[in-house]
Amino acid sequence: WLFSAYGGSSDVNMIRLIRASDGEELWCNEYEDGDQKIVTLELSRDGAAFYIGLDSGVVAAFQCKDGQRLWSYEVGETVPSDWHFNASSDGGKLVFWAADGSLHCLSAQTGERLWQSPTSLEAPASWQLQSSRDGARVYYTTQGGSVVAVSGVTGDLLWTAPSLFSPSSSSTAG
């Protein structure tokens, strides 16, 4: 399946599902969400749902089969255009950073907030995260190059591995 998402200058967001094998459009839906624009789209691990992030800080889940909205969650603040979230490999969680520096974890099935980390975590280098296969840990890289692991269950800091390089240095794999 391929998704095409459009959050244009109007107040309509369009999402369509295209079959990857032949390019046939299976459905196309418009979502009227005021001035909000789609900034990210993530497919669930089982392919049954997809999640969108709007620039206003709303995360919403939709069914792949027909594009119907399952749930939405308001982060409560605007987000940058390169915002990203991670669907855990176990399919049960959706994890993302908020602009205030806290990490949020939602139930992928219901949109219920499972936890929110303290804002005292070291700032991420990017909005991207990785989850362990079982969803028990979430990893990210800091602006200083350290690797951080937090609990996928509680959001608590588990460990920090210091950077091998100073922030101003770079390395090339050969």
Side-chain angles (χ1 to χ4, degrees), residues 6 18 20 29 38 48 61 64 70 74 79 84 98 146 152-153 161 168 172:
Y6 174 75
I18 302 167
N29 290 344
I38 298 168
C64 286
L70 299 170
E74 291 190 34
V79 296
H84 181 79
S146 300
V153 177
S168 62
T172 304

Side-chain angles (χ1 to χ4, degrees), residues 12-138:
V12 174
N13 287 299
M14 295 177 62
I15 301 174
R16 66 181 177 160
L17 182 68
I18 302 167
R19 188 172 25 234
S21 61
D22 61 10
E24 180 183 345
E25 180 179 285
L26 301 175
W27 54 258
C28 181
N29 290 344
E30 293 182 8
Y31 302 100
E32 296 182 28
D33 284 311
D35 253 354
Q36 304 174 68
K37 303 207 180 9
I38 298 168
V39 294
T40 189
L41 187 146
E42 175 90 17
L43 182 64
S44 67
R45 299 293 184 214
D46 63 5
F50 65 94
Y51 313 99
I52 62 169
L54 302 173
D55 63 356
S56 63
V58 172
V59 177
F62 298 85
Q63 295 181 60
C64 286
K65 67 180 179 181
D66 57 12
Q68 294 303 306
R69 188 184 303 239
L70 299 170
W71 54 260
S72 63
Y73 174 82
E74 291 190 34
V75 180
E77 57 194 65
T78 59
V79 296
S81 61
D82 63 346
W83 192 39
H84 181 79
F85 39 78
N86 175 265
S88 64
S89 296
D90 69 356
K93 300 178 188 106
L94 194 65
V95 182
F96 58 89
W97 285 103
D100 70 358
S102 63
L103 197 56
H104 292 248
C105 180
L106 307 180
S107 163
Q109 289 77 30
T110 66
E112 176 187 359
R113 186 173 77 190
L114 301 175
W115 52 260
Q116 180 177 345
S117 73
T119 56
S120 59
L121 288 175
E122 194 172 350
S126 75
W127 296 102
Q128 297 198 10
L129 304 158
Q130 288 292 335
S131 296
S132 61
R133 288 186 186 267
D134 61 2
R137 291 169 305 287
V138 176

